[in-house]
Amino acid sequence: MWSFCNSYGAMNGTDQKKMSFSLPARTLVLGGASSGKSAFAEGLVTATGRSRHYIATAQAFDDEMRAKIADHQAQRGPDWITHEAPFDLSAALVAGAGEVVLLDCATLWLSNALLADQDMAAAQGTFLAAVRTCTAPLVIVSNEVGHGVVPDHKLGRVFRGAQGRLNQALAADCDLVVFVTAGLPQVLKGQLP
């Protein structure tokens, strides 16, 4: 799987500190399912050389999701401070102040809010306010779901519309927006460090 650090060759912890760089205040990494977006985002965060906070929005309701979460944890390794935040991101974003934060992912947060029957306009407003007040460099992972067919059921269409609106609002607020397809990043806004 491609990672940001691969473009500089294999790096150990010492080399990463030499190669460290600064991220903009907010970065959005978009992509489809299994596109490599999480690995790319993790590589960006790791390459800063700073302490890393991971905000996990997933909820494990079945064995498949538990396995997927375990795979992501193993891929990241033990050097991350993890915060479980399926609904309220505010406290988790404050915890990463002065370090670097990865929020993975906005899509699962949205699913959680939608399935909990929250007022989506209010929930999105609270989400965006929390993102805007984060004082650490923040990388947000989100799915691009608008490239498929129109869902044949109402919930699918409501979700697709809400995800599109959330992604547009995040992209407007972010200094760097990257779209990942087949593990390959394409910069849509801003410039990679």
Side-chain angles (χ1 to χ4, degrees):
M1 186 174 292
W2 191 93
S3 87
F4 183 75
C5 295
N6 285 350
S7 64
Y8 300 106
M11 298 194 309
N12 62 34
T14 304
D15 292 335
Q16 283 180 357
K17 289 185 185 351
K18 291 178 193 171
M19 293 292 293
S20 65
F21 62 85
S22 295
L23 285 170
R26 289 182 291 277
T27 299
L28 177 62
V29 178
L30 295 164
S34 300
S35 63
K37 64 189 175 300
S38 290
F40 177 79
E42 290 165 9
L44 276 178
V45 169
T46 299
T48 67
R50 298 169 84 171
S51 294
R52 303 181 297 272
H53 287 254
Y54 185 93
I55 300 176
T57 60
Q59 298 183 86
F61 292 121
D62 58 37
D63 290 341
E64 180 185 1
M65 195 60 171
R66 279 188 278 283
K68 183 173 182 167
I69 290 169
D71 287 346
H72 272 268
Q73 289 169 336
Q75 179 181 318
R76 282 194 310 274
D79 298 329
W80 293 75
I81 301 163
T82 301
H83 307 272
E84 304 271 339
F87 293 100
D88 182 15
L89 305 172
S90 300
L93 288 170
V94 169
E99 297 175 5
V100 63
V101 177
L102 172 59
L103 190 161
D104 196 355
C105 79
T107 303
L108 289 173
W109 170 86
L110 179 70
S111 295
N112 297 338
L114 188 62
L115 294 175
D117 257 350
Q118 293 185 5
D119 174 325
M120 292 313 298
Q124 179 173 309
T126 301
F127 179 97
L128 293 171
V131 163
R132 290 175 187 136
T133 60
C134 182
T135 59
L138 174 62
V139 177
I140 303 163
V141 174
S142 191
N143 284 27
E144 173 52 60
V145 298
H147 289 141
V149 298
V150 175
D152 63 352
H153 51 87
K154 181 180 179 182
L155 181 60
R157 291 187 299 274
V158 168
F159 169 76
R160 183 192 60 172
Q163 182 68 71
R165 288 186 296 277
L166 179 60
N167 285 347
Q168 289 177 53
L170 287 169
D173 276 358
C174 287
D175 307 294
L176 174 61
V177 179
V178 180
F179 187 77
V180 180
T181 304
L184 301 173
Q186 178 182 16
V187 176
L188 302 179
K189 178 181 179 183
Q191 192 170 8
L192 284 172

